[in-house]
Amino acid sequence: MTNKKPAVWYEHLHTEKHTGARRGRIHTPHGTFETPMFMPVGTQGAVKGVGTRELKDIGSQFILSNTYHLWVRPGDELIAQAGGLHQYMGWDQAILTDSGGFQVFSLSDARKLAEEGVTFQNHVNGDKMFLSPEVAMRIQNNLGSDVMMQLDEAIPYFESYDYIKDSMQRSLRWADRAQIAHKKPDSQGLFGIVQGAGFKALRSESANGLVGMDLPGYAVGGLSVGESKLEMNRVLDFTMPLLPEDKPRYLMGVAAPDSLIDSVIRGVDMFDSVLPTRIARKGTLMTRRGRVVIKNSKYKNDFTPLDPDLSYYSANPIRTNQFGNQSQFDNPNYNPFQNLTRSYLHHLFNANEILGAQLASQHNLRYLLQFMEDMRTAIENDDLLAFRATVMEEYGYNKPNARLF
RNA sequence: GGGAGUGUAGCGAAGUCUGGCUAAACGCGACGGACUGUAACUCCGUUCCUUCGGGUUCGUAGGUUCGAAUCCUACCGCUCCCA
């Protein structure tokens, strides 16, 4: 055993007194980032509607991208020529790439699954393309992401026990192949993905198998695909304790505020989800007082801010004003979200202006990033249960028929 | 003045020849909803009134018929062409 740190490693800072929630940091070749964290999703090398400048301004740390989609277009070789994905998309912080495992699920009508790998009929021009654990590693090595995900199969939650067992075991074998195929363990960290749907024995077999491989981090997959929140918590209850405490733990595809808290309480450090940007593009804002469907006519004359409780964060607060003029943008405390009214955003959506989708996307991401900042503070103060109670109350989860994001 | 065409639900537009299966296609707009490791500015509802039994509609007024948006008569409006 050497003391040499892997490319990606977890530093533990604090354990919340009442819940055991973790407060830590993840070290990567592109910087060190605070956990628990939420990672915006930029599938095709772009967080839809939000530029890298804005991402940084609103406090993004890691962002996600996708192996399958970048492989299909523009191609991993091309991105390697460009100097890697960071360079290509102009993002100097950490990137995590999903493997294409989710596309095995979401593009299930256009692919064939076998032990060797997955044959996709790609969604752009119909070409047959073969994705194996090894190919997924080659692509991600070319992309140069900080965290790479093993190729797995994201399984529908309500499949049969036998199907889930077979699939989980195959994903486990694929993890093994991925680790062997990994060409750059010194600069990129490979995470394994625990599968097994709602079955304790299968989750356990999956987790134990992956932990035995001593990967730098572990993800829990196959959740938030239609099962209830109660179900998800039940699975996390018996799955999280199986994962090592000195490695980052990533719950894939979760963004609902109550689920974020409940998962952090169960030991999760990292989250991602398309939810904030997807619903933003369709006109739904996430706010501290619940959802705001900005297209609803009741916002037509509403001149209040989008979210009165949202603060703004800027990593580069002072802009150089090349003209020497005073403007609101020179104020380091300037909060663009405070100055935008619901009426204005309603109008932008109504008029189908692209800016509406952009602002809403930034807003929702900022909302979640601030939510995680607040949660980190609550953990540091051993105050997470009170934070949870406040959220449940303020966001209206305690109301009858509550169903927020 | 002469000739041709046309009036359908918020708007556009089918249906009229060959009357019933038409409260009336379709599109837009409007109003709701869904969305959680992104084939997604997408998808799904509702959109004459209603106490859900029904009621009142297709420029207006009459007529024919068991039955009319559809056939007949008159009137009103609009568009285009020629003078």
Side-chain angles (χ1 to χ4, degrees), chain A residues 120-135:
Chain A
F120 285 99
Q121 185 154 29
N122 91 44
H123 64 283
V124 175
N125 62 12
D127 281 357
K128 281 210 171 128
M129 300 179 76
F130 180 68
L131 188 64
S132 65
E134 291 79 13
V135 173

Side-chain angles (χ1 to χ4, degrees), chain A residues 145-186:
Chain A
S145 48
D146 298 271
V147 172
M148 322 155 78
M149 302 306 298
Q150 67 152 114
L151 183 65
D152 68 332
E153 180 195 357
I155 326 165
Y157 194 81
F158 299 105
E159 271 289 355
S160 70
Y161 178 88
D162 287 344
Y163 183 93
I164 291 165
K165 183 179 179 187
D166 289 347
S167 169
M168 176 275 290
Q169 290 178 341
R170 182 173 49 221
S171 287
L172 206 48
R173 291 189 293 274
W174 283 3
D176 204 42
R177 285 165 55 185
Q179 192 178 33
I180 292 167
H182 188 2
K183 292 283 196 303
K184 300 177 179 172
D186 291 337

Side-chain angles (χ1 to χ4, degrees), chain A residues 150 168-169 171-173 175-176 179 192-194 201-215 218 242-243:
Chain A
Q150 67 152 114
M168 176 275 290
Q169 290 178 341
S171 287
L172 206 48
R173 291 189 293 274
D176 204 42
Q179 192 178 33
I193 303 174
V194 179
L202 301 184
R203 288 282 177 185
S204 176
E205 183 180 342
S206 178
N208 291 337
L210 291 168
V211 170
M213 296 169 56
D214 192 27
L215 295 164
Y218 296 97
L242 303 170
L243 300 176

Side-chain angles (χ1 to χ4, degrees), chain A residues 249-266:
Chain A
R249 303 151 161 189
Y250 164 29
L251 175 58
M252 309 181 83
V254 169
D258 57 338
S259 297
L260 291 174
I261 301 177
D262 288 344
S263 306
V264 164
I265 286 174
R266 289 166 174 79

